Amino acid sequence: MDKKEYFFDKPGNRKMVNISLYLFIALLTVADLFIHKHPHFPWEGIPSFYSFYGFISSVVLVLIAKYILQPLLNREENYYD
Amino acid sequence: MTNLMPPGLMFILGALLVPFFKGKFKSVYLLAIPIVTLLGLLNMEVGSSWSFSFMEQSIVLCKVDKLSLLFGYIFSIISIIAITYALKVKSAGEHMSALFYAGGGLGVVFSGDMFSLFIYWEIMAIASTFLIIASKTKSSYSAGLRYLMIHLLGGLFLVLGIILHFKKTGSISFGYIGLTDMASWLIFIGFGINCVFPFVHAWLPEAYPESSVTGGVFLSAFTTKTAVYVLLRAFPGADILIPVGVTMTVYGIFYAMIVNDCRRLLSYHIMSQVGYMVTGIGIGTEMALNGAAAHAFTHILYKGLLFMGMGSVIHMTGKRRKSDLGGLYRTMPLTTIFYLIAGVSISAFPFFSGFISKSLIVTAGAESHMPLVVLILTLVGAGTFFSTTLKLPYSVFFGHDSGLRPKDPPGNMLAAMGMAAFLCILLGWMPKLLYDILPYPIDYAPYTASHVVGQFQLLAFSALAFVLLVNYGIYPSETRVINLDTELIYRKGVKNLVFVIDKCLIFLCDYMILVFHQKIPEYLTKFYTNPLQFFRNILNMNSSEVSNVGAMKPRLMEGTIFWFFLLFVIYMVLVLF
């Protein structure tokens, strides 16, 4: 392990990444109020629909993967040998 | 400039000369082949050429139209990039296999008849097997063998379908087929095995992680996209492709969440993205078909870049499991950046290449009034971003520090990655470059405010979910495990079936030996030496009590030997009368 400090070793930089994400999200939510949407489907008209959908999709994917799929499908590495 | 040589043949014949070059000349020659081919493609005219008669059918080696040109361009471009990536590979055999493979792909794309299509298809199967076993590990040999068997099985379906189709229509020209009869279904299945349809897909995540680092880049580009091309040509609008494609997208995403080998994760993402293309083919409108073709184009670029990025990591660290890696951004900054560029491209991040192609398919689905399809494809889009661009880089480049400090890979690999990254960004900013070479006319503007903001919302909140899930520790675990997929059926299933059949057969054989080699001679001897006694014994089942002959009681005839004797008598009766 070398002693050199890299970009993300400094806690300030990591905080900066997190904060820029939150700022970006705030910006998007505000922008949503000003756009003209042409909804193909009824749900697209809801403000910030894709935000919720993206968040829920990711969470659902991870939960299903972790609690259903991994217990069912994981095996030790030499299972087939 | 008329066509100098069918592009596929140019690669294949060029491959034969590779062993005669050494050192720098070899590098120049290797790069010259795809570059010359690409230049030739840029000058090609639409139409058929290089056709000749064979057994009263016409073999058309070079049928050019917008669709085949599109695939021809991207195959040549990715060949240039992948050969650059592989310049330092010493083995001429691996270079030749790669060129045969790419040549086979180009051959399929430009063939106008099904006979040459089949020949090129099989060349691809065999050449790609060599790329898999090129890494020379035990697991790659066994994976390569299974890969070859599955692909030859697919070729069998294909050739059966072609023969039946020829019998029905009398012509072997390759064009629209449509799912009508047994012949077309056989061809469909033959194409589908290469196109990673569900349940026949297991070869992809098994074999691609085992391939050599440089071979993997070729593999990711050709087999599946060639299958997409033939589906686009032969079965556009086939309704069954919509549920098949949507299933593929979801299947790939879920497995990608739980696997540990980094290239296996990328292989499942191939299945997912090819699912988008298959869905587009199924939807069948001009925009959807354009979308499928465009997505194939952009996918080859960013998937190649993803494989090159992970390949560089494997090349420099020797490790391929996520659980063993981490914190590599420190000493591999360029690889990290290139990988992230590919990651945002695959996620359809605005201003990168995936955005202009994936949107075509999803919008086509929306315009064809398919709400469920659009919802699922959007969900998978968020999941793709999560898995490829957040989760995998977090495990490999950022995240917990594994202590490894590998350097960036050698210059040729970086140059190849740079080229692919440049193209990903270029297409994102200038979609017209791609839209102009799409097969059907297109009138779509991807950069509308609502679309861009909607997509950013999807991705940004997916990132937020990632940050929160990691912080709260709800995260799929990263341990050294493997995951079961449908290969279970033929790896464990057939093994067990063979074991059971084996045991039954052994038992049966032993019994037969006992009967025919022991018991029957024994009883025949007794019959011939003393027939009367023999019959008395049969009736009494008691060889020593001859005096009891009077007390004969009709007893149940016991013993298998009696039944054999009876059968023999019946047989003789039947034969003689």
Side-chain angles (χ1 to χ4, degrees):
Chain A
M1 266 307 199
D2 52 302
K3 302 277 192 304
K4 189 169 162 198
E5 265 225 329
Y6 291 94
F7 187 71
F8 286 117
D9 288 333
K10 307 188 184 75
N13 283 332
R14 273 184 277 178
K15 259 187 148 250
M16 194 167 70
V17 171
N18 277 347
I19 292 185
S20 55
L21 177 66
Y22 299 141
L23 274 179
F24 188 53
I25 286 177
L27 180 70
L28 285 174
T29 321
V30 164
D32 198 272
L33 302 169
F34 294 105
I35 319 178
H36 304 289
K37 296 192 197 98
H38 306 281
H40 276 117
F41 299 112
W43 58 76
E44 278 181 12
I46 307 172
S48 274
F49 168 73
Y50 283 108
S51 317
F52 296 117
Y53 197 63
F55 189 82
I56 303 215
S57 313
S58 310
V59 169
V60 163
L61 273 171
V62 168
L63 290 179
I64 294 184
K66 185 175 170 76
Y67 294 115
I68 302 179
L69 292 180
Q70 274 196 324
L72 271 178
L73 298 170
N74 275 5
R75 299 285 184 280
E76 343 75 63
E77 289 197 328
N78 55 2
Y79 179 74
Y80 281 121
D81 298 327
Chain B
M1 176 173 146
T2 51
N3 308 319
L4 179 63
M5 193 190 289
L9 269 187
M10 199 174 258
F11 270 61
I12 291 176
L13 295 177
L16 294 173
L17 294 178
V18 164
F20 298 112
F21 291 83
K22 295 275 186 280
K24 284 254 171 13
F25 293 115
K26 182 164 112 175
S27 305
V28 169
Y29 176 68
L30 281 173
L31 278 175
I33 298 176
I35 293 179
V36 167
T37 311
L38 182 62
L39 292 175
L41 281 177
L42 290 171
N43 285 330
M44 260 192 200
E45 308 127 10
V46 171
S48 295
S49 59
W50 280 90
S51 60
F52 50 91
S53 259
F54 178 64
M55 301 201 283
E56 288 175 28
Q57 294 298 319
S58 66
I59 305 273
V60 181
L61 284 180
C62 200
K63 179 167 155 186
V64 177
D65 64 1
K66 286 198 91 169
L67 181 63
S68 45
L69 271 180
L70 176 91
F71 277 86
Y73 291 143
I74 187 59
F75 281 172
S76 314
I77 293 174
I78 194 66
S79 300
I80 298 175
I81 294 176
I83 288 177
T84 315
Y85 190 72
L87 270 186
K88 293 223 164 86
V89 169
K90 299 269 188 318
S91 143
E94 201 178 318
H95 286 295
M96 288 171 74
S97 309
L99 284 172
F100 278 129
Y101 182 48
L106 280 168
V108 169
V109 159
F110 284 106
S111 56
D113 70 287
M114 293 204 263
F115 184 69
S116 53
L117 183 139
F118 177 69
I119 305 264
Y120 283 120
W121 197 265
E122 294 302 296
I123 292 178
M124 283 178 70
I126 297 176
S128 49
T129 312
F130 281 105
L131 286 177
I132 293 172
I133 63 180
S135 57
K136 296 193 173 62
T137 61
K138 180 166 168 295
S139 54
S140 72
Y141 287 134
S142 83
L145 183 65
R146 282 191 297 274
Y147 172 91
L148 184 64
M149 288 202 285
I150 296 220
H151 279 267
L152 291 181
L153 180 70
L156 240 152
F157 276 105
L158 184 59
V159 77
L160 277 173
I162 292 176
I163 292 174
L164 285 176
H165 182 84
F166 171 63
K167 275 189 82 72
K168 188 181 77 151
T169 60
S171 121
I172 56 168
S173 82
F174 180 54
Y176 178 75
I177 299 178
L179 279 176
T180 44
D181 57 350
M182 174 66 115
S184 57
W185 276 98
L186 283 172
I187 298 181
F188 184 72
I189 295 173
F191 288 159
I193 290 182
N194 269 35
C195 201
V196 258
F197 283 179
F199 300 118
V200 288
H201 69 282
W203 58 268
L204 186 88
E206 262 209 298
Y208 282 17
E210 303 294 337
S211 67
S212 64
V213 157
T214 53
V217 182
F218 281 99
L219 286 170
S220 70
F222 285 98
T223 306
T224 36
K225 308 313 166 299
T226 315
V228 167
Y229 164 79
V230 291
L231 282 178
L232 267 171
R233 176 90 57 197
F235 300 104
D239 283 328
I240 193 177
L241 286 176
I242 300 179
V244 165
V246 171
T247 311
M248 282 163 66
T249 52
V250 174
Y251 199 103
I253 275 292
F254 274 115
Y255 266 93
M257 285 281 181
I258 59 178
V259 293
N260 194 16
D261 184 319
C262 54
R263 286 200 298 174
R264 196 172 161 119
L265 184 149
L266 294 177
S267 306
Y268 275 113
H269 274 289
I270 294 182
M271 182 178 182
S272 187
Q273 297 301 309
V274 173
Y276 274 92
M277 298 174 219
V278 168
T279 313
I281 301 176
I283 297 177
T285 61
E286 288 203 341
M287 181 185 269
L289 295 176
N290 272 342
H295 203 59
F297 195 96
T298 57
H299 177 82
I300 289 180
L301 283 173
Y302 56 64
K303 185 57 74 179
L305 184 54
L306 287 173
F307 264 83
M308 285 194 276
M310 278 303 144
S312 306
V313 167
I314 297 174
H315 184 71
M316 301 306 287
T317 61
K319 299 186 189 305
R320 41 189 267 197
R321 299 183 188 82
K322 280 194 297 166
S323 48
D324 298 345
L325 297 164
L328 297 180
Y329 81 92
R330 296 176 171 84
T331 44
M332 296 181 88
L334 284 177
T335 313
T336 314
I337 292 176
F338 287 139
Y339 181 86
L340 286 175
I341 291 179
V344 294
S345 292
I346 194 176
S347 323
F349 212 87
F351 305 112
F352 290 87
S353 55
F355 183 66
I356 66 168
S357 57
K358 197 182 279 192
S359 328
L360 276 172
I361 301 179
V362 177
T363 313
E367 285 182 1
S368 307
H369 312 292
M370 299 182 182
L372 190 61
V373 167
V374 169
L375 273 180
I376 295 181
L377 291 186
T378 316
L379 181 147
V380 171
T384 308
F385 179 63
F386 192 95
S387 178
T388 316
T389 321
L390 298 172
K391 186 162 168 308
L392 186 56
Y394 183 72
S395 307
V396 170
F397 292 115
F398 305 101
H400 83 280
D401 191 355
S402 61
L404 298 164
R405 295 282 183 266
K407 291 241 223 24
D408 265 320
N412 64 312
M413 290 184 166
L414 287 175
M417 290 199 277
M419 284 196 275
F422 171 71
L423 285 172
C424 284
I425 300 179
L426 179 72
L427 285 175
W429 283 91
M430 303 179 63
K432 196 166 179 308
L433 285 176
L434 177 58
Y435 287 175
D436 280 345
I437 50 176
L438 288 178
Y440 300 99
I442 180 167
D443 179 25
Y444 177 72
Y447 287 106
T448 61
S450 68
H451 194 188
V452 169
V453 170
Q455 189 69 13
F456 270 134
Q457 283 176 348
L458 189 77
L459 300 176
F461 275 78
S462 184
L464 180 69
F466 178 75
V467 167
L468 292 177
L469 285 168
V470 169
N471 270 341
Y472 287 109
I474 308 171
Y475 191 69
S477 62
E478 292 186 354
T479 47
R480 290 177 147 232
V481 290
I482 64 165
N483 308 103
L484 300 179
D485 199 346
T486 51
E487 81 266 354
L488 186 68
I489 300 174
Y490 51 85
R491 282 189 86 175
K492 276 264 162 172
V494 169
K495 198 159 121 186
N496 292 343
L497 183 70
V498 164
F499 180 76
V500 161
I501 293 179
D502 209 25
K503 287 270 176 270
C504 282
L505 275 178
I506 289 178
F507 175 74
L508 212 58
C509 281
D510 284 343
Y511 187 69
M512 282 289 129
I513 291 174
L514 184 71
V515 163
F516 283 99
H517 288 184
Q518 255 182 270
K519 293 248 158 109
I520 290 187
E522 209 180 288
Y523 282 101
L524 280 176
T525 327
K526 287 196 191 143
F527 176 70
Y528 282 118
T529 46
N530 192 348
L532 205 57
Q533 182 61 41
F534 178 75
F535 282 113
R536 284 194 194 123
N537 291 344
I538 298 265
L539 291 172
N540 291 341
M541 294 312 288
N542 190 345
S543 53
S544 55
E545 294 173 15
V546 174
S547 56
N548 258 350
V549 101
M552 238 171 22
K553 289 188 290 186
R555 285 168 61 171
L556 270 175
M557 311 301 183
E558 290 171 8
T560 34
I561 190 57
F562 172 74
W563 295 107
F564 272 110
F565 183 73
L566 192 61
L567 279 169
F568 178 70
V569 166
I570 295 172
Y571 171 70
M572 292 309 293
V573 162
L574 286 170
V575 160
L576 293 171
F577 296 100

